[in-house]
Amino acid sequence: MANITKRGGTFRIKVSCGYDVSGRQVVKSTTYKPDPTKSEKWNEKELQRQAVLFEESCKQGQSVTAAKFETFAEAWLKDYAEITVKRTTMCVYRELVKRIYPVIGHIRIDKISPLNIQKLVQTLSNEGMSPRTIKTYVRFVSGILNYAIKKRLITYNPCTTVDFPKERPKEQLTHEIYSVEEVKHLLELLKQGNDEKFPFYVYFVLAVYMGARKGELLGLEWKDIDFDNDMISINRAYYYSYLEREYYTDTPKTATSRRSLKLPAHVMETLRSLREWQTRYKDICGGSWVETDRLFVTCNGEQIPTTAPRDYFQRFCKRNGIRYIKPHAFRHFNASILINSGVDIVTVQAALGHSTAITTLRVYSHAFNNAKTRAMEAIANAIDI
């Protein structure tokens, strides 16, 4: 509601117009000067009318701060996104804006129209981007504009009426993985490797038996290992920020990624051997040993880089004449073994640390379909007389 204050022979009309890009309240004001040729009653009615008109203009965004989309988005990234999303997500956002700013970054947020958003969609489509990826860009823009609505800077979100290119039917997603025989052979060869590289053998043993993500494995610390109950807990992950060019530790990918897994006794023995390996090299290094409490470290105790497992595995496969698949394939191998063994989807979800069972079903739909086919064949074989 407009606030009216008398100031000598004039009246000041003040209206709150929401908040600016820094979260400060925006107050707009105008002045009404009574017409001396009119009666006092007429001027009073006109004052009230002008107050209503001015307030309406503010509500429609006509008096709202004229921040351009790029300016507002940068403020949103700094004041909101940086404190609510993970650093890995921030890196994704920084990549998204590189294509968004050239198209709509120069437009005032209160002037962005559905046609502007449609132009963004068309531009991304012309660059060969898939409809699914384009939706990711538009969702990002929409999230920023929804924030602007929340702060009463704009009154509607132009992203709600956008039309996306039709997605072409895709073949069912499959993952290239090693067979059981190949994994057995790989682990045998890895175990025979150089003593200095023993941590890599243990890394791939855990990758096979836990199905954990790379960052989760590299973030493991000795306090996460329960040798009495053969349990290992995932409480953090180790990442590299290409945006900031530095390593850092953060929480796992999702809330459900925090999990504990029971491992076979022989795997726990492998972990004991790794602990002994660290103790041996710690004695060799003496004062130069770097204490991190991490499982996967170099010979002087420093945390190994996030690219180290992949680099080592590439060289290992080439040296032994083995086909190379990215180390993430061991996560797919683990999931496939669980599914093919008849483990229910909820348990598989919990083991892999997916946020929902729907995610597990989407990522591994091919494996679940194969398992269902074998289940039907088992029934047919059972009743075939």
Side-chain angles (χ1 to χ4, degrees), residues 210 212 216 220 232-236 252 257-261:
M210 294 177 63
E216 295 172 343
L220 287 173
I232 186 166
S233 299
I234 295 175
N235 298 307
R236 73 196 67 76
S257 292
R258 289 181 178 271
R259 58 200 187 278
S260 296
L261 300 171

Side-chain angles (χ1 to χ4, degrees), residues 20 23 45 49 69 82 105 112 128 186 189 206 213 265 363-364 369 384:
D20 63 15
K45 288 184 178 180
R49 190 177 77 86
F69 179 80
E82 284 188 0
I112 296 177
L186 282 167
L189 291 177
L206 293 186
R213 303 176 180 92
V363 176
Y364 297 106
N369 287 336
D384 187 16

Side-chain angles (χ1 to χ4, degrees), residues 220-227 236 270-276 278 291 293-296:
L220 287 173
E221 298 181 356
W222 287 111
K223 58 177 168 285
D224 302 320
I225 314 299
D226 181 354
F227 286 105
R236 73 196 67 76
T270 301
L271 289 173
R272 288 188 176 90
S273 297
L274 179 62
R275 188 168 59 176
E276 292 172 1
Q278 284 197 11
E291 190 60 60
D293 198 42
R294 292 291 168 89
L295 270 65
F296 301 110

